[in-house]
Amino acid sequence: MRSLERIDQWPAPHAAAAVVRADGTVAGSHGDTARTFRLASVTKLLTAYAALIAVEEGVVELDTPAGPEGATIRHLLAHTAGLGFDSDRVMAPPGTRRMYSNAGFQVLGDALAEHSGIPFAEYLSEAVLAPLGMTSTRLAGSPGAGGVSSVDDLVRFAAELQAPKLLDPATLRAATTVAFPGLSGVLPGLGHQKPNDWGLGFEIRDSKSPHWTGAGSSPRTFGHFGQSGTFLWVDPDAAAACVVLTDLDFGPWAIEAWPPFTDAVLAELRAG
């Protein structure tokens, strides 16, 4: 796909990208797709998937208490537990505000470890990484931002997100539907959004503006971006997903480069 060549013009020292169709085939790739990169908050997609598997396995329920008083696994996944961005300070009652929280995902990982009886990194590996053959992916830090992976591995995960085999498709559909609708909040790096729609670990595009995906991205698009200059989106209407990993931290360059990149990818997909 010629649209992927745009990453060569970005200021990142290294960048790699791939587009994955809904049937799991790779429509195109560019760059060193075997190179490992820090995922930053794209890690949250892997953690959320492990949490959903834990729910299906009966390790926890979405309404299992976790975190601040009155909060649950569901609240932590949807960034509505009321915890601060990077602290355990309770900023709001659960379910009342969308407060993006790395701390909340640390609490989530701790809760899953407690209920499963094994360290979260091990649970993630056994539940998600090993079954998908993601051999270059590991959790090297927090469940919210400590992942390391390659485009090749995330291609496998992007295929899973479009045709789940580890989860009941109905579970994934529910997780990529807005949880606690109508809540406003700050989308990191892009400002206040009203509403700031989120699923269970998955950010949902809806009508957000500005946004890190494209103007042509469907409202049903879901995924995540990371502070390390990474993103993964799935656009069900386009029947495709896109993975981009770089080693240049998110900033104005990304706000300028990512949306037209996504629009170019979508246009090329439509053109066949």
Side-chain angles (χ1 to χ4, degrees), residues 125-265:
S125 179
E126 292 181 4
V128 180
L129 307 183
L132 294 180
M134 298 174 67
T135 56
S136 66
T137 304
R138 68 186 191 279
L139 187 63
S142 76
V148 174
S149 189
S150 65
V151 167
D152 285 341
D153 270 17
L154 289 180
V155 160
R156 297 172 180 269
F157 185 56
E160 170 71 14
L161 291 176
Q162 296 179 92
K165 296 178 175 60
L166 305 183
L167 278 179
D168 186 320
T171 299
L172 183 57
R173 283 195 298 272
T176 55
T177 301
V178 180
F180 304 97
L183 298 182
S184 61
V186 173
L187 184 59
L190 292 161
H192 192 270
Q193 304 281 351
K194 186 176 181 179
N196 187 18
D197 286 338
W198 224 278
L200 299 179
F202 299 88
E203 194 225 323
I204 300 173
R205 192 196 194 292
D206 275 0
S207 58
K208 294 184 178 119
S209 180
H211 199 257
W212 54 274
T213 61
S217 297
S218 78
R220 294 202 297 154
T221 298
F222 62 88
H224 220 293
F225 80 86
Q227 184 62 36
S228 58
T230 56
F231 67 76
L232 187 163
W233 56 250
V234 177
D235 189 335
D237 289 5
C242 183
V243 177
V244 173
L245 302 181
T246 82
D247 53 3
L248 180 63
D249 282 355
F250 175 85
W253 75 269
I255 295 172
E256 180 179 340
W258 289 356
F261 169 84
T262 289
D263 283 334
V265 168

Side-chain angles (χ1 to χ4, degrees), residues 69-84:
E69 184 176 356
T72 64
I73 297 291
R74 188 192 311 271
H75 288 109
L76 293 169
L77 282 166
H79 296 285
T80 58
L83 292 171

Side-chain angles (χ1 to χ4, degrees), residues 1 3-4 6 258-270:
M1 294 183 67
S3 55
L4 299 184
R6 288 173 170 244
W258 289 356
F261 169 84
T262 289
D263 283 334
V265 168
L266 293 171
E268 188 168 357
L269 286 168
R270 286 193 297 269

